[in-house]
């Protein structure tokens, strides 16, 4: 037989596109359309319904960027359509290639009841099956004219990302507003042909199955009368029945489809628009659940459920009903799908606390899985947090985006820094927006790396990013692939059902130890510095507010602000979403975030001041409140008292220009360029800096990645570097007995940097405050510290501990980590000597090593990433004034690094009062760190303390307890008693602790 494969395949494509698809709606009549544009921000539904509308026509332009237009559509079903299925087709000017990224609308009845949404892949509203004819229809569409920002030419700078700069040019034209007859038979024929045509293209040409399908498709197309598609669709379908009924092979891959709409809580749209996106998507999904019995839809992010509960209670009622029926599944148990690299220990824990508690309170559901398909890499502390929250599984997909190294597993145990293992799955379909395309299903089966020992994978199915969810077309295709020869088998299942099956079939999966590093989007550790600073500051203010409010509640009967802290935590957690904290959202999002963080800081500072005032009482004694984790200035951690300062600092001129600062512990030389050329540890008789090198060296690079501007920094940025050594001035600004400071001012490009280098009495640490008035474009600013330390690895703080990364690039896996994340410190060490670089708000950094020709010694250079200037999606990213604080701590151990990291983020507060305040809890071992002190969230008055081992070793020590308590129990993160925890008791005011490396323990004390 001649090879006519290409001929038949081309025939299928043309006939399907030009004749069969248009026949789904063989008859139509236009609707009458009127419109009203809301002034400013969206208005309540009742206002939109009652507004005075003006006539508009198909073809008219509408929708300024970010505006809301209320369309009123009316019409009458023709009497001749009696007995037929009728739908409205409402095309607002959609581009079907971009669901979730343009205009959308929620459709209401005249009474204000939401029916469903329309979007580029979901343009229909059902009038009825077997209509009587003559029915009057009226709907109101709340249409959002969100501009397209990531279009055919992505990553181009645009002012459309902020309503203040977007202008008023209409973005869309009405395309179609009709009532139409819906031909189910033609619609089913399309699904038949799509499934078989897409499957055919994935099958080997040498196999018989491909040719069987080809012949059946050819016969089907012969049976279609191109002038009467509707009349011949049934006959055409009968030609396909045989190939569609052939069962799958016994060895076929099994795919658990979960209906899904990965809705970014903010990204190329503001938070307020996400509220509406969630309402639109969930309306469509509850509508679909009513007619599709096998369908299961999963939605993560408790915040999004909370939004529709508050803003669209009618939609929420439908969601809650579907959840009770087990069809609409709250997934993941987190407040939002957050970034997991940058959130601090407590913030990462509270993502699960608030997310899981919402699902428990609202639905009685306690999730076993963490659901993070799109997060940009995963910190090594996360497995322990997942387990401590009472969960045991993790799903993500994003690691498949890595540019260099292909991850070796799809199902595996992920081991965190403390040894906790979490059963983890990466869907081999390699997308969290699966649309049931044949190539997607075939790719999942081919790509699955655990063949032979496992055969189950998961496919999140539905349009996401900007929402939309699963469509009836996807369900139709999945139905055909439930048991189809040549295809993987597809079945709709809940995430928990998939994980139970996958875990049962793979009892000893491979193990991956340490962080799950994404070899992409590394610049998200630096972009939008003010957002990152707002997050870091908020985390530490929350620590202080809880600590001092709890202490004041116990010591002075202070009213603990349960509701305020709960609300503020949720605000901070929302802004840790993986396109807000990473700095990859539009200007509008980050402009609002800056205002939100300022409001959070003001409210938390007021709580702290009130609590400290209650603790201090009336008096004239200056008390230092120490919220850090270790004693400083003679004041115990978690307590308050008079400061004790020991020693002094001397300042002298340096022979070649510049200054020498000396406090008896550390001698620092600053040269005439304002650079640190020596940091001598007097006690260790050891120079910290590499010979001939200068530290606190600002360096600037060109920064124009190949794509994903705000997200990416490509390694070639290092090819060109400019050392900023020209100086405007170097002068002494403080020379008191306990403090000396040198100010350095330098200009570069269109920008200016002012740095104040300070040495305090009694501290072996050089503090650096850097203010940058930044006006560069597509540049990357770093601060370099070349250290005379021979180390093949270094430590970066992460949640509840630290992890190690290599300083070398022996393998492609190591070379790929050329930009990485730390929290409060980076620490390097060779036997007998370590150095810490601590910071108050930066996350990105790099570490490199070279060997000096002069003495064959090793220079290990740590560079903090300070600022970038990408132009998409925010063309003004990071422009303006920024302030950073960081410090160099020579001779530091890891415990010292932990201490200094907390200290720089939790400055002392001075309050005038009557008497010292003793801490509620004191850890005897410096390696045991108190992460949180608070009252229990249930309002019982119980006191909760969370501790962790921070040095990476074992700790057998005690926790001093200074409060009247009747009992103590170990709990999970939700403060629920752990049934299998070792018993704890307070004896002589102490609780004995035995912690493994990086282990966290939460204790609840009953008062």
């Amino acid at each position: 037989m001649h090879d006519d494969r290409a001929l038949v395949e081309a025939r299928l494509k043309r006939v399907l596109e030009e004749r069969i698809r248009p026949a789904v709606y063989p008859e139509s009549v236009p609707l009458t359309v009127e419109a009203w544009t809301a002034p400013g921000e969206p208005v309540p539904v009742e206002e939109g319904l009652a507004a005075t509308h003006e006539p508009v026509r198909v073809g008219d332009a509408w929708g300024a960027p970010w505006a809301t237009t209320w369309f009123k559509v009316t019409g009458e079903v023709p009497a001749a359509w009696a007995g037929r299925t009728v739908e409205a087709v409402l095309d607002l000017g959609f581009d079907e290639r971009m669901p979730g990224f343009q205009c959308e609308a929620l459709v209401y009845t005249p009474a204000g009841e939401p029916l469903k949404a329309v979007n580029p892949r979901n343009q229909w509203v059902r009038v009825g099956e077997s209509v009587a004819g003559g029915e009057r229809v009226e709907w109101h569409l709340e249409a959002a004219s969100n501009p397209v920002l990531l279009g055919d030419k992505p990553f181009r700078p645009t002012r459309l990302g902020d309503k203040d700069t977007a202008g008023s040019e209409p973005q869309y034209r009405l395309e179609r507003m009709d009532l139409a007859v819906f031909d189910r038979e033609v619609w089913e024929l399309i699904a038949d042909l799509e499934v078989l045509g897409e499957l055919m293209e994935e099958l080997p040409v040498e196999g018989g199955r491909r040719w069987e399908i080809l012949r059946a498709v050819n016969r089907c197309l012969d049976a279609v009368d191109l002038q009467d598609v509707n009349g011949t669709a049934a006959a055409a379908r009968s030609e396909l029945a045989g190939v569609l009924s052939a069962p799958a092979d016994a060895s076929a891959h099994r795919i658990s489809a979960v209906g899904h709409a990965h809705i970014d809580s903010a990204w190329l749209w503001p938070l307020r628009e996400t509220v509406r996106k969630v309402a639109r998507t969930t309306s469509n999904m509850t509508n679909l659940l009513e007619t599709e019995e096998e369908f299961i839809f999963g939605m993560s992010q408790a915040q999004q459920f909370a939004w529709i509960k508050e803003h669209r209670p009618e939609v929420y009622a439908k969601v809650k009903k579907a959840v009770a029926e087990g069809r609409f599944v709250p997934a993941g148990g987190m407040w939002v799908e957050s970034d997991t690299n940058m959130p601090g220990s407590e913030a990462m824990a509270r993502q699960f606390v608030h997310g899981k508690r919402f699902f428990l309170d609202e639905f009685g559901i306690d999730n076993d899985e963490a659901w993070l398909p799109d997060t940009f890499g995963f910190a090594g502390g996360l497995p322990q947090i997942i387990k401590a929250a009472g969960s045991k599984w993790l799903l993500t997909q994003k690691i498949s985006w890595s540019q260099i190294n292909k991850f070796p597993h799809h199902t595996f145990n992920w081991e965190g820094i403390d040894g906790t293992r979490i059963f983890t799955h990466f869907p081999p379909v390699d997308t969290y927006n699966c649309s049931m395309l044949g190539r997607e299903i075939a790719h999942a089966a081919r790509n699955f790396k655990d063949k032979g020992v496992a055969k189950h994978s998961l496919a999140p199915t539905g349009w996401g990013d900007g929402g939309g969810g699963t469509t009836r077309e996807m369900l139709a295709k999945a139905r055909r692939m439930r048991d189809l020869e040549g295809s993987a088998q597809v079945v709709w299942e809940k995430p928990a059902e998939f994980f139970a099956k996958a875990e049962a079939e793979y009892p000893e999966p491979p193990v991956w130890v340490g962080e799950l590093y994404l070899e992409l989007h590394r610049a998200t550790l630096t972009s939008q510095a003010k957002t990152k600073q707002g997050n870091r500051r908020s985390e530490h203010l929350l620590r202080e507010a809880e600590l001092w409010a709890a202490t004041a509640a116990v010591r002075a009967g202070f009213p603990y602000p349960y509701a305020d802290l709960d609300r503020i935590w949720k605000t901070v957690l929302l802004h840790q979403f993986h396109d807000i904290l990473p700095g990859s959202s539009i200007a509008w999002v980050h402009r609002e975030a800056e205002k939100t963080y300022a409001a959070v800081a003001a409210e938390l500072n007021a709580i702290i001041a009130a609590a400290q005032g209650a603790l201090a009482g009336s008096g004239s004694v200056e008390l230092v409140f120490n919220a850090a984790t270790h004693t400083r200035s003679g004041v115990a951690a978690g307590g308050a008292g008079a400061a004790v300062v020991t020693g002094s600092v001397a300042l002298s001129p340096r022979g070649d220009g510049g200054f020498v600062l000396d406090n008896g512990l550390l001698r620092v030389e600053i040269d005439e360029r304002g650079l640190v050329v020596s940091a001598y540890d007097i006690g260790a008789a050891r120079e910290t800096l590499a010979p001939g090198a200068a530290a606190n060296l600002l360096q600037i690079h060109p920064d124009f990645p190949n794509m994903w501007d705000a997200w990416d920094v490509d390694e070639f940025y290092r090819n060109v570097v400019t050392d900023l050594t020209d100086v405007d001035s170097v002068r002494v600004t403080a020379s008191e007995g306990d403090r000396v400071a040198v100010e350095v001012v330098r200009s570069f490009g269109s920008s200016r940097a002012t740095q104040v280098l300070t040495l305090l009495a009694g501290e072996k640490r050089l503090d650096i405050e850097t203010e940058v008035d930044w006006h560069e474009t597509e540049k990357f600013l770093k601060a370099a510290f070349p250290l005379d330390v021979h180390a093949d690895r270094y430590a970066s703080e992460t949640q509840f501990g630290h992890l190690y990364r290599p300083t070398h690039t022996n393998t492609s896996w190591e070379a790929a980590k050329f930009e990485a994340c730390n929290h409060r410190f980076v620490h390097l060490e060779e036997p007998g000597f370590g150095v810490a670089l601590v910071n108050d708000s930066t996350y990105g950094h790099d570490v490199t090593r070279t060997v000096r020709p002069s003495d064959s010694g090793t220079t290990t250079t740590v560079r903090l990433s300070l600022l970038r200037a990408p132009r998409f999606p925010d063309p003004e990213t990071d422009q303006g004034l920024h302030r950073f604080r960081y410090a160099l701590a020579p001779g530091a151990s890891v415990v010292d690094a932990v201490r200094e990291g907390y200290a720089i983020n939790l400055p002392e507060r001075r309050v005038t009062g009557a008497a010292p305040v003793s801490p509620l809890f004191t850890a005897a071992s410096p390696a045991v760190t108190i992460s949180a002190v608070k009252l229990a969230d249930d309002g019982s008055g119980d006191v909760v303390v969370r501790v962790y081992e921070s040095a990476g070793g074992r700790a057998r020590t005690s926790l001093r307890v200074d409060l009247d308590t009747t009992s103590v129990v170990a709990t999970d993160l939700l403060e629920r008693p752990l049934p299998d925890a070792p018993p704890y008791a307070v004896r002589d005011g102490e609780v004995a602790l035995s912690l493994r490396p990086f282990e966290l323990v939460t204790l609840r004390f009953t008062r």
Side-chain angles (χ1 to χ4, degrees):
M1 184 176 289
H2 296 297
D3 185 351
D4 59 349
R5 178 169 44 86
L7 191 68
V8 175
E9 290 172 356
R11 180 190 186 192
L12 170 61
K13 285 181 173 62
R14 185 176 186 192
V15 171
L16 189 59
E17 198 60 36
E18 295 185 21
R19 298 303 171 88
I20 300 178
R21 289 193 201 283
V24 170
Y25 293 113
E27 300 176 52
S28 63
V29 296
L31 289 159
T32 299
V33 188
E34 299 169 275
W36 172 75
T37 299
E41 286 294 275
V43 299
V45 173
E46 55 271 19
E47 185 176 341
L49 295 176
T52 300
H53 295 67
E54 300 293 334
V56 293
R57 299 178 181 178
V58 167
D60 286 354
W62 71 279
W66 307 113
T68 300
T69 300
W70 283 84
F71 291 103
K72 178 181 178 181
V73 297
T74 56
E76 182 176 313
V77 176
W81 291 359
R84 305 174 78 177
T85 299
V86 176
E87 294 181 346
V89 182
L90 307 175
D91 185 345
L92 302 178
F94 298 129
D95 181 344
E96 290 191 4
R97 299 171 302 167
M98 302 194 68
F101 290 92
Q102 48 181 265
C103 58
E104 306 164 3
L106 186 55
V107 182
Y108 296 89
T109 67
E113 178 189 358
L115 292 177
K116 68 181 295 291
V118 290
N119 60 52
R121 293 299 183 108
N122 203 325
Q123 301 178 18
W124 58 274
V125 177
R126 178 63 59 87
V127 175
E129 296 185 31
S130 190
V131 298
E135 291 94 338
R136 292 286 303 169
V137 298
E138 178 181 332
W139 296 295
H140 295 255
L141 281 65
E142 182 191 16
S145 49
N146 302 330
V148 175
L149 301 179
L150 196 66
D152 292 334
K153 295 181 178 180
F155 315 117
R156 301 292 177 90
T158 174
R159 297 287 176 178
L160 291 172
D162 194 329
K163 65 176 181 177
D164 290 347
T165 60
S168 58
E169 186 72 20
Q171 300 293 293
Y172 300 98
R173 289 185 182 276
L174 288 180
E175 185 67 25
R176 182 178 183 182
M177 307 292 274
D178 289 346
L179 285 177
V181 172
F182 174 72
D183 191 325
R184 166 69 71 171
E185 198 69 27
V186 173
W187 185 85
E188 296 284 4
L189 174 60
I190 292 170
D192 291 344
L193 287 171
E194 284 184 342
V195 167
L196 291 172
E198 292 166 7
L199 172 61
M200 183 168 58
E201 292 182 358
E202 300 300 325
L203 293 170
V205 175
E206 299 80 11
R209 177 63 169 164
R210 179 163 183 161
W211 293 93
E212 289 175 0
I213 295 174
L214 186 80
R215 299 296 166 226
V217 167
N218 210 28
R219 292 193 302 271
C220 169
L221 297 177
D222 288 342
V224 175
D225 183 340
L226 299 184
Q227 276 66 53
D228 185 17
V229 172
N230 302 89
T232 56
R237 290 194 69 203
S238 68
E239 297 294 341
L240 302 176
V243 289
L244 282 169
S245 62
D249 298 334
S251 60
H253 186 65
R254 311 287 205 271
I255 293 179
S256 296
V258 178
H260 190 239
H262 168 71
I263 303 178
D264 287 309
S265 289
W267 180 26
L268 303 180
W269 44 87
L271 287 167
R272 68 91 154 141
E273 192 56 34
T274 313
V275 175
R276 303 199 296 176
K277 282 178 174 288
V278 173
R280 292 190 284 260
T281 296
T282 52
S283 294
N284 275 350
M285 296 306 95
T286 53
N287 181 276
L288 202 56
L289 286 166
E290 291 174 2
T291 59
E292 303 289 344
E293 293 183 0
E294 75 274 23
F295 181 45
I296 297 290
F297 182 76
M299 188 171 93
S300 68
Q301 306 192 75
Q303 171 69 85
Q304 296 188 358
F305 286 84
W307 275 334
I308 53 175
K309 179 182 179 182
E310 178 183 356
H311 297 282
R312 292 292 188 271
E314 304 89 347
V315 176
Y316 190 66
K318 295 180 180 181
V319 168
K320 201 159 186 178
K321 178 177 178 292
V323 171
E325 294 168 351
R327 308 278 307 287
F328 195 118
V329 181
M334 294 176 67
W335 191 247
V336 295
E337 289 182 12
S338 72
D339 181 83
T340 75
N341 285 313
M342 290 176 282
S345 304
E346 280 303 312
M348 200 73 253
R350 306 301 174 92
Q351 286 286 351
F352 288 91
V353 168
H354 288 283
K356 296 195 74 167
R357 187 172 288 140
F358 183 92
F359 289 161
L360 281 163
D361 291 346
E362 291 291 316
F363 311 120
I365 291 174
D366 192 356
N367 298 78
D368 283 328
E369 78 285 342
W371 184 276
L372 292 164
D374 190 31
T375 296
F376 309 152
F378 299 88
L382 188 58
Q384 180 175 206
I385 296 171
I386 293 173
K387 183 178 179 181
S391 298
K392 58 183 179 180
W393 300 319
L394 169 66
L395 177 134
T396 186
Q397 181 271 321
K398 197 71 169 190
I399 298 298
S400 69
W401 285 39
S402 284
Q403 290 176 312
I404 300 169
N405 299 286
K406 194 76 171 175
F407 197 80
H409 317 296
H410 281 111
T411 302
F412 60 100
N413 273 334
W414 177 28
E415 182 178 315
I417 57 174
D418 72 309
T420 298
R421 291 182 176 181
I422 293 294
F423 187 80
T424 302
H425 180 68
F426 291 171
V429 71
D430 279 352
T431 177
Y432 46 78
N433 294 326
C434 175
S435 58
M436 286 291 144
L437 291 172
R439 67 172 179 269
E440 294 172 333
I441 302 305
H443 175 74
R446 284 195 299 262
N447 188 40
F448 188 55
K449 290 183 167 56
D450 304 290
K451 299 182 186 76
V453 288
K455 60 169 57 178
H456 284 83
S457 72
L458 187 145
T461 302
W463 300 114
D465 292 317
T470 317
T471 65
R472 61 185 180 181
E473 288 78 15
M474 295 175 194
L475 273 98
K477 296 175 80 169
R479 192 156 46 242
R480 287 156 174 80
M481 290 185 284
R482 175 183 286 273
D483 191 15
L484 181 63
E485 183 184 354
S487 171
Q489 292 184 287
V490 178
V491 61
W492 295 98
E493 288 188 310
K494 300 175 184 178
E497 292 172 336
F498 159 75
F499 273 109
K501 290 180 180 178
E503 199 169 30
E505 77 174 356
Y506 208 1
E508 295 185 9
V511 176
W512 183 269
V513 178
E515 67 180 327
L516 294 169
Y517 180 93
L518 177 64
E519 297 171 358
L520 194 73
H521 293 358
R522 302 167 182 89
T524 58
L525 304 173
T526 305
S527 297
Q528 297 287 1
K530 288 182 180 177
T531 298
K532 290 171 171 58
Q533 288 179 323
N535 173 74
R536 179 76 71 83
R537 186 70 180 131
S538 297
E539 289 180 350
H540 289 83
L541 286 171
L542 277 161
R543 171 192 173 88
E544 287 193 84
E546 289 182 339
L547 168 66
W548 299 126
T551 306
V554 173
R555 299 272 186 262
F558 181 77
Y560 192 81
Y562 292 102
D564 291 337
L565 290 172
D566 179 83
R567 171 178 47 80
I568 295 169
W569 261 118
K570 288 172 179 174
T571 298
V572 173
L573 298 177
L574 165 60
H575 286 79
Q576 292 178 338
F577 178 75
H578 66 253
D579 275 309
I580 303 179
L581 179 54
S584 47
S585 287
I586 55 175
W588 188 347
V589 173
H590 293 290
R591 172 171 55 79
E592 287 191 336
E594 186 175 354
K595 293 179 181 177
T596 298
Y597 284 130
V600 163
E603 192 167 2
L604 289 173
N605 277 316
I607 292 172
I608 292 165
Q612 289 179 339
L615 286 165
S618 299
S620 58
V621 178
E622 185 181 68
L623 301 174
V624 171
F625 279 78
N626 177 17
T629 57
H630 298 74
T631 298
R632 62 179 173 184
S633 301
V635 179
V644 177
V645 178
T646 59
S648 61
V649 190
L651 175 72
S652 60
R654 184 172 175 269
D656 296 330
F659 303 96
V660 178
L661 290 61
D662 189 331
N663 67 359
L665 301 173
L666 187 63
R667 184 169 64 247
V668 175
E669 295 187 30
I670 301 170
D671 72 5
E672 71 282 0
R673 302 169 298 171
L675 300 176
V676 179
V677 291
S678 175
Y680 189 79
D681 183 336
I682 296 171
R686 167 75 183 260
E687 175 59 57
T688 306
L689 305 184
N696 191 38
L697 171 66
L698 296 178
Q699 297 180 308
I700 197 165
H701 298 267
D703 182 18
F704 188 61
N706 289 342
M707 58 191 303
W708 297 109
D709 294 42
W711 295 257
D712 282 359
V713 56
D714 290 328
E715 192 173 14
F716 54 71
Y717 87 92
R718 289 182 177 174
N719 296 349
V720 178
V721 59
T722 301
D723 293 343
L724 303 181
T725 57
D726 291 344
V727 67
D728 298 347
S729 64
V730 180
R731 67 188 185 95
V732 175
T733 57
S735 58
E736 300 91 4
D738 62 351
R739 177 178 179 270
V740 296
V742 174
E743 180 194 78
V744 180
V745 180
R746 60 181 90 248
S747 302
F748 57 95
S750 302
S751 304
R752 181 182 177 91
T754 301
Q755 296 187 291
V756 178
L757 289 74
T758 304
L759 189 64
L760 300 173
E763 301 288 352
K764 195 163 62 172
R765 180 190 72 237
L766 176 66
D767 293 330
I768 302 166
E769 296 184 25
T770 298
E771 179 181 281
V772 183
D773 191 9
W774 179 248
H775 298 283
E776 305 306 304
T777 298
E778 295 167 350
K779 295 289 194 295
F780 198 178
L781 181 67
K782 293 206 169 224
F785 292 81
L787 307 174
D788 189 14
V789 176
H790 179 80
D792 61 3
R793 67 175 189 172
Y794 71 97
S796 292
E797 189 183 34
T798 189
Q799 292 101 6
F800 298 112
H802 58 266
L803 55 86
Y804 288 100
R805 298 189 184 98
T807 60
H808 54 76
T809 55
N810 282 356
T811 70
S812 58
W813 293 86
E814 294 156 352
K817 297 181 180 181
F818 59 82
E819 185 80 7
C821 182
N822 67 279
H823 287 184
R824 287 166 292 232
F825 72 79
V826 171
H827 180 260
L828 293 95
E829 190 170 25
E830 64 182 44
F833 189 78
V835 182
L837 190 61
V838 300
N839 72 85
D840 79 337
S841 58
T842 61
Y843 295 92
H845 69 276
D846 68 77
V847 178
T848 55
R849 70 201 302 261
T850 57
V851 174
R852 302 185 293 270
S854 59
D855 63 356
S856 297
T858 301
T859 298
T860 305
T861 301
V862 182
R863 299 197 304 167
L864 300 180
S865 302
L866 301 182
L867 290 166
R868 298 184 68 234
R871 300 182 66 208
F872 183 87
D874 176 4
E876 299 294 326
T877 301
D878 282 335
Q879 299 299 299
L881 195 65
H882 301 270
R883 294 180 177 88
F884 307 94
R885 295 177 67 232
Y886 41 91
L888 180 69
S893 65
V894 167
V895 170
D896 295 329
V898 173
R899 181 189 69 241
E900 298 293 359
Y902 273 101
I904 198 173
N905 282 274
L906 291 162
E908 298 172 346
R909 292 177 183 262
R910 296 177 183 268
V911 177
T912 301
V917 178
S918 63
L920 296 179
F921 303 99
T922 305
S925 169
V928 175
T929 297
I930 295 176
S931 178
V933 176
K934 60 190 291 292
L935 295 195
D937 290 341
D938 61 8
S940 63
D942 290 357
V943 182
V944 173
V945 60
R946 189 155 27 251
V947 302
Y948 67 100
E949 197 288 321
S950 61
R954 295 189 179 272
R956 296 180 64 87
T957 184
S958 64
L959 182 70
R960 182 72 186 172
V961 181
D962 189 6
L963 61 90
D964 292 331
T965 179
T966 58
S967 66
V968 55
V969 295
T971 73
D972 65 6
L973 294 178
L974 277 71
E975 301 167 2
R976 302 173 296 192
L978 292 173
D980 55 350
Y984 289 92
V986 180
R987 294 188 176 91
D988 298 325
E990 293 185 346
V991 175
L993 295 176
S994 179
L995 303 178
R996 67 177 184 273
F998 301 130
E999 182 182 6
L1000 72 88
V1001 171
T1002 304
L1003 299 176
R1004 178 170 179 156
F1005 295 81
T1006 302
R1007 286 197 285 152

